[in-house]
Protein backbone atom coordinates (compact mmCIF):
# COMPACT_ATOMS: atom_id res chain seq x y z
CA UNK A 1 0.00 0.00 0.00
CA UNK A 2 1.17 3.48 -0.94
CA UNK A 3 0.09 6.27 1.39
CA UNK A 4 0.43 9.93 0.43
CA UNK A 5 -0.50 12.85 2.67
CA UNK A 6 -0.69 16.47 1.59
CA UNK A 7 -0.50 18.92 4.52
CA UNK A 8 0.89 22.30 5.56
CA UNK A 9 2.39 20.55 8.60
CA UNK A 10 4.34 17.57 7.22
CA UNK A 11 6.29 17.24 10.48
CA UNK A 12 2.98 16.54 12.25
CA UNK A 13 2.94 13.23 10.37
CA UNK A 14 6.46 12.14 11.35
CA UNK A 15 4.78 9.87 13.90
CA UNK A 16 4.03 7.62 10.93
CA UNK A 17 7.75 6.75 10.93
CA UNK A 18 7.40 5.25 14.42
CA UNK A 19 6.17 1.96 15.89
CA UNK A 20 3.86 -0.31 13.91
CA UNK A 21 3.48 1.95 10.87
CA UNK A 22 7.18 2.72 10.73
CA UNK A 23 8.05 -0.96 10.91
CA UNK A 24 5.54 -1.77 8.15
CA UNK A 25 7.26 0.81 5.96
CA UNK A 26 10.72 -0.56 6.79
CA UNK A 27 9.43 -4.06 6.03
CA UNK A 28 8.20 -2.84 2.64
CA UNK A 29 4.53 -3.58 3.38
CA UNK A 30 3.63 0.09 2.91
CA UNK A 31 5.29 3.30 1.73
CA UNK A 32 4.48 6.68 3.25
CA UNK A 33 5.00 9.97 1.37
CA UNK A 34 4.44 13.35 3.03
CA UNK A 35 3.96 16.45 0.88
CA UNK A 36 4.00 20.12 1.97
CA UNK A 37 1.06 21.90 0.30
CA UNK A 38 3.11 25.13 0.28
CA UNK A 39 5.33 23.61 -2.46
CA UNK A 40 2.44 24.48 -4.77
CA UNK A 41 1.84 28.01 -3.44
CA UNK A 42 3.98 30.24 -5.66
CA UNK A 43 3.66 33.73 -4.19
CA UNK A 44 6.39 35.17 -1.97
CA UNK A 45 4.56 34.18 1.20
CA UNK A 46 3.53 30.75 -0.16
CA UNK A 47 -0.07 31.61 0.64
CA UNK A 48 -2.55 28.72 0.90
CA UNK A 49 -5.52 30.52 2.44
CA UNK A 50 -7.74 33.56 2.02
CA UNK A 51 -10.86 35.13 3.59
CA UNK A 52 -14.18 33.33 3.06
CA UNK A 53 -16.30 34.66 0.16
CA UNK A 54 -19.55 35.89 1.66
CA UNK A 55 -17.80 36.87 4.89
CA UNK A 56 -17.47 34.95 8.14
CA UNK A 57 -14.74 34.12 10.61
CA UNK A 58 -11.44 32.45 9.83
CA UNK A 59 -9.78 31.59 6.53
CA UNK A 60 -10.48 29.12 3.73
CA UNK A 61 -7.83 27.07 1.91
CA UNK A 62 -7.40 28.29 -1.67
CA UNK A 63 -8.21 25.88 -4.52
CA UNK A 64 -5.16 26.57 -6.73
CA UNK A 65 -2.42 25.04 -4.52
CA UNK A 66 -4.58 22.00 -3.85
CA UNK A 67 -5.29 21.38 -7.53
CA UNK A 68 -1.58 21.59 -8.36
CA UNK A 69 -0.63 19.43 -5.38
CA UNK A 70 -3.09 16.67 -6.30
CA UNK A 71 -1.89 16.66 -9.91
CA UNK A 72 1.76 16.38 -8.85
CA UNK A 73 1.25 13.76 -6.15
CA UNK A 74 -1.00 11.62 -8.35
CA UNK A 75 1.63 11.80 -11.11
CA UNK A 76 4.27 10.63 -8.60
CA UNK A 77 2.07 7.78 -7.45
CA UNK A 78 1.34 6.64 -10.98
CA UNK A 79 5.07 6.71 -11.76
CA UNK A 80 5.54 4.16 -8.97
CA UNK A 81 2.38 2.06 -9.27
CA UNK A 82 1.68 2.30 -12.98
CA UNK A 83 -0.46 4.60 -15.15
CA UNK A 84 -3.66 2.68 -14.37
CA UNK A 85 -3.32 3.07 -10.58
CA UNK A 86 -5.84 5.38 -8.96
CA UNK A 87 -5.76 6.67 -5.36
CA UNK A 88 -8.62 6.73 -2.92
CA UNK A 89 -8.51 10.40 -1.89
CA UNK A 90 -9.48 10.79 1.77
CA UNK A 91 -10.32 14.15 3.33
CA UNK A 92 -10.61 14.10 7.11
CA UNK A 93 -13.57 16.42 7.61
CA UNK A 94 -15.96 16.96 10.53
CA UNK A 95 -18.74 17.12 7.93
CA UNK A 96 -17.81 13.67 6.66
CA UNK A 97 -19.11 10.20 7.49
CA UNK A 98 -17.98 8.83 10.84
CA UNK A 99 -15.16 6.36 10.23
CA UNK A 100 -15.80 2.80 11.37
CA UNK A 101 -13.88 -0.46 11.65
CA UNK A 102 -15.66 -1.88 8.60
CA UNK A 103 -14.26 0.98 6.52
CA UNK A 104 -10.78 0.44 7.96
CA UNK A 105 -11.10 -3.22 6.96
CA UNK A 106 -12.24 -2.31 3.44
CA UNK A 107 -9.55 0.32 2.91
CA UNK A 108 -6.79 -1.97 4.23
CA UNK A 109 -7.04 -3.75 0.89
CA UNK A 110 -6.51 -0.65 -1.22
CA UNK A 111 -3.30 -0.21 -3.22
CA UNK A 112 -3.09 3.58 -2.74
CA UNK A 113 -4.61 6.07 -0.32
CA UNK A 114 -4.01 9.81 -0.67
CA UNK A 115 -4.87 11.84 2.44
CA UNK A 116 -5.60 15.57 2.14
CA UNK A 117 -5.27 17.48 5.41
CA UNK A 118 -7.41 20.59 5.63
CA UNK A 119 -6.65 23.41 8.03
CA UNK A 120 -8.19 26.81 8.95
CA UNK A 121 -11.97 26.63 8.39
CA UNK A 122 -11.56 24.07 5.62
CA UNK A 123 -10.90 23.67 1.91
CA UNK A 124 -12.68 25.55 -0.92
CA UNK A 125 -15.61 23.33 -2.02
CA UNK A 126 -14.54 23.55 -5.65
CA UNK A 127 -11.53 21.33 -4.89
CA UNK A 128 -13.86 18.42 -4.17
CA UNK A 129 -15.89 19.27 -7.30
CA UNK A 130 -12.71 19.45 -9.40
CA UNK A 131 -11.50 16.01 -8.22
CA UNK A 132 -14.86 14.33 -8.74
CA UNK A 133 -15.21 15.89 -12.20
CA UNK A 134 -11.80 14.40 -13.05
CA UNK A 135 -13.14 10.98 -12.08
CA UNK A 136 -11.24 10.56 -8.82
CA UNK A 137 -12.78 8.60 -5.93
CA UNK A 138 -12.98 10.83 -2.84
CA UNK A 139 -14.18 10.17 0.70
CA UNK A 140 -14.81 12.66 3.50
CA UNK A 141 -14.47 11.03 6.93
CA UNK A 142 -14.72 12.19 10.51
CA UNK A 143 -13.29 10.47 13.59
CA UNK A 144 -16.45 11.30 15.48
CA UNK A 145 -18.86 14.09 16.34
CA UNK A 146 -16.22 16.57 17.45
CA UNK A 147 -13.89 18.99 15.67
CA UNK A 148 -10.10 19.10 15.52
CA UNK A 149 -8.00 22.00 14.24
CA UNK A 150 -7.06 20.18 11.07
CA UNK A 151 -6.83 16.83 9.36
CA UNK A 152 -3.37 15.69 10.53
CA UNK A 153 -4.41 14.06 13.82
CA UNK A 154 -7.19 12.25 11.96
CA UNK A 155 -4.69 11.02 9.35
CA UNK A 156 -2.54 9.51 12.11
CA UNK A 157 -5.57 7.71 13.54
CA UNK A 158 -6.98 6.63 10.18
CA UNK A 159 -3.59 5.37 8.97
CA UNK A 160 -3.06 3.29 12.11
CA UNK A 161 -6.59 1.84 11.97
CA UNK A 162 -6.16 0.90 8.28
CA UNK A 163 -2.51 -0.21 8.14
CA UNK A 164 -2.71 -2.49 11.21
CA UNK A 165 -5.17 -4.59 9.18
CA UNK A 166 -2.79 -4.96 6.22
CA UNK A 167 -1.63 -8.61 6.18
CA UNK A 168 1.78 -9.00 7.80
CA UNK A 169 1.75 -5.70 9.70
CA UNK A 170 0.54 -7.10 13.03
CA UNK A 171 2.71 -10.07 14.07
CA UNK A 172 -0.14 -12.21 15.36
CA UNK A 173 -3.16 -11.83 13.06
CA UNK A 174 -5.20 -13.71 15.70
CA UNK A 175 -5.10 -10.59 17.88
CA UNK A 176 -7.13 -8.75 15.25
CA UNK A 177 -9.97 -11.23 15.37
CA UNK A 178 -11.28 -10.74 18.92
CA UNK A 179 -10.83 -7.01 19.42
CA UNK A 180 -13.57 -4.44 19.82
CA UNK A 181 -15.56 -3.78 16.67
CA UNK A 182 -13.95 -6.65 14.73
CA UNK A 183 -17.27 -8.50 15.05
CA UNK A 184 -19.49 -5.47 15.62
CA UNK A 185 -19.32 -5.89 19.41
CA UNK A 186 -17.10 -4.54 22.19
CA UNK A 187 -14.28 -6.73 23.41
CA UNK A 188 -14.71 -8.76 26.61
CA UNK A 189 -12.81 -7.69 29.78
CA UNK A 190 -9.13 -8.67 29.82
CA UNK A 191 -7.10 -10.06 32.73
CA UNK A 192 -3.51 -11.19 33.21
CA UNK A 193 -1.30 -12.28 36.13
CA UNK A 194 -1.43 -12.00 39.09
CA UNK A 195 -4.77 -13.82 39.34
CA UNK A 196 -5.08 -12.36 42.86
CA UNK A 197 -4.08 -8.68 43.11
CA UNK A 198 -4.11 -6.56 46.25
CA UNK A 199 -4.53 -3.03 44.97
CA UNK A 200 -2.81 0.05 46.50
CA UNK A 201 -5.92 0.64 48.65
CA UNK A 202 -5.58 -2.88 50.11
CA UNK A 203 -8.57 -4.29 48.20
CA UNK A 204 -8.19 -7.92 47.07
CA UNK A 205 -9.11 -8.17 43.38
CA UNK A 206 -9.48 -11.67 41.94
CA UNK A 207 -9.60 -12.44 38.22
CA UNK A 208 -12.73 -14.46 37.26
CA UNK A 209 -12.22 -18.11 38.28
CA UNK A 210 -13.42 -19.33 34.89
CA UNK A 211 -10.29 -17.93 33.25
CA UNK A 212 -8.10 -20.19 35.41
CA UNK A 213 -10.18 -23.31 34.65
CA UNK A 214 -8.42 -24.37 31.46
CA UNK A 215 -11.86 -25.14 30.03
CA UNK A 216 -11.54 -23.29 26.71
CA UNK A 217 -15.14 -23.91 25.71
CA UNK A 218 -16.54 -22.38 28.91
CA UNK A 219 -14.01 -19.54 28.70
CA UNK A 220 -15.11 -18.75 25.14
CA UNK A 221 -18.77 -18.78 26.20
CA UNK A 222 -18.02 -16.55 29.21
CA UNK A 223 -16.14 -14.08 26.96
CA UNK A 224 -18.97 -14.00 24.46
CA UNK A 225 -21.47 -13.28 27.24
CA UNK A 226 -19.32 -10.48 28.64
CA UNK A 227 -18.89 -9.00 25.15
CA UNK A 228 -22.66 -8.98 24.56
CA UNK A 229 -23.35 -7.58 28.04
CA UNK A 230 -20.75 -4.81 27.62
CA UNK A 231 -22.05 -3.87 24.17
CA UNK A 232 -25.66 -3.72 25.37
CA UNK A 233 -24.67 -1.50 28.29
CA UNK A 234 -22.16 0.83 26.62
CA UNK A 235 -23.15 0.86 22.96
CA UNK A 236 -26.86 -0.02 22.52
CA UNK A 237 -26.55 1.45 19.02
CA UNK A 238 -24.06 -1.27 18.06
CA UNK A 239 -26.12 -3.91 19.83
CA UNK A 240 -29.29 -2.91 17.95
CA UNK A 241 -27.41 -2.74 14.60
CA UNK A 242 -25.86 -6.24 14.83
CA UNK A 243 -26.81 -8.79 12.21
O1 LIG B 1 -12.14 17.26 12.98
B1 LIG B 1 -11.52 16.98 11.78
O2 LIG B 1 -11.35 15.67 11.35
C1 LIG B 1 -11.03 18.12 10.88
C2 LIG B 1 -10.52 17.81 9.62
C3 LIG B 1 -10.09 18.84 8.80
C4 LIG B 1 -10.17 20.16 9.26
C5 LIG B 1 -9.84 21.40 8.66
C6 LIG B 1 -10.15 22.38 9.59
N1 LIG B 1 -10.64 21.80 10.71
C7 LIG B 1 -10.69 20.44 10.52
C8 LIG B 1 -11.13 19.42 11.36
Amino acid sequence: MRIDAITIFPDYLRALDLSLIGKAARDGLISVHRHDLREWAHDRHRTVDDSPLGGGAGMVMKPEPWAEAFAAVIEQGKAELGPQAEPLIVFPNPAGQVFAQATAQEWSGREWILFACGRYEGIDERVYEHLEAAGHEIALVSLGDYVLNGGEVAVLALTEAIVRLVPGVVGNAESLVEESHSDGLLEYPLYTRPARWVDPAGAVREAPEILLSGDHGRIAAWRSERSAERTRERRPDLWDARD
Side-chain angles (χ1 to χ4, degrees):
M1 178 186 291
R2 177 180 171 115
I3 296 173
D4 288 280
I6 304 171
T7 167
I8 61 172
F9 295 123
D11 285 348
Y12 218 120
L13 301 180
R14 293 231 170 271
L16 295 177
D17 295 338
L18 306 175
S19 187
L20 190 88
I21 312 296
K23 184 176 184 304
R26 289 188 292 276
D27 291 349
L29 296 170
I30 65 170
S31 64
V32 178
H33 310 262
R34 286 170 289 260
H35 309 274
D36 185 343
L37 179 66
R38 293 189 193 278
E39 267 186 55
W40 293 280
H42 306 302
D43 65 300
R44 188 156 63 97
H45 298 293
R46 307 183 80 186
T47 307
V48 295
D49 63 307
D50 202 340
S51 305
L53 292 176
M59 303 294 273
V60 175
M61 300 191 92
K62 295 169 60 61
E64 305 97 319
W66 276 109
E68 286 193 36
F70 277 117
V73 171
I74 289 171
E75 184 180 353
Q76 289 175 30
K78 284 178 177 283
E80 178 196 343
L81 300 175
Q84 301 305 317
E86 287 295 336
L88 169 63
I89 302 174
V90 178
F91 290 87
N93 190 314
Q97 294 201 328
V98 175
F99 188 70
Q101 188 68 14
T103 306
Q105 189 65 56
E106 179 192 336
W107 290 0
S108 68
R110 297 296 293 246
E111 178 187 32
W112 183 11
I113 297 177
L114 196 176
F115 288 107
C117 299
R119 276 275 157 177
Y120 307 102
E121 296 305 310
I123 299 172
D124 186 301
E125 188 68 16
R126 292 168 292 179
V127 172
Y128 305 112
E129 294 167 2
H130 161 68
L131 292 169
E132 287 185 323
H136 294 298
E137 182 183 3
I138 71 171
L140 278 63
V141 293
S142 169
L143 294 186
D145 294 333
Y146 55 89
V147 182
L148 303 168
N149 285 332
E152 288 80 7
V153 166
V155 166
L156 294 176
L158 295 168
T159 300
E160 180 154 315
I162 295 162
V163 170
R164 66 193 295 274
L165 300 176
V166 171
V169 170
V170 169
N172 174 13
E174 266 300 298
S175 66
L176 298 175
V177 173
E178 290 193 325
E179 57 189 6
S180 286
H181 302 289
S182 60
D183 57 358
L185 299 176
L186 302 186
E187 188 172 23
Y188 47 80
L190 301 172
Y191 298 85
T192 185
R193 283 179 283 274
R196 181 179 186 277
W197 174 51
V198 181
D199 78 6
V204 176
R205 299 188 179 285
E206 308 265 5
E209 278 293 326
I210 183 81
L211 299 180
L212 309 176
S213 68
D215 183 334
H216 298 296
R218 288 182 58 223
I219 290 170
W222 178 88
R223 285 173 167 171
S224 177
E225 287 158 15
R226 298 291 75 69
S227 174
E229 176 186 80
R230 180 172 271 195
T231 307
R232 278 197 302 273
E233 286 168 6
R234 297 182 186 177
R235 291 293 303 275
D237 58 312
L238 290 180
W239 181 254
D240 294 342
R242 75 196 189 289
D243 297 339

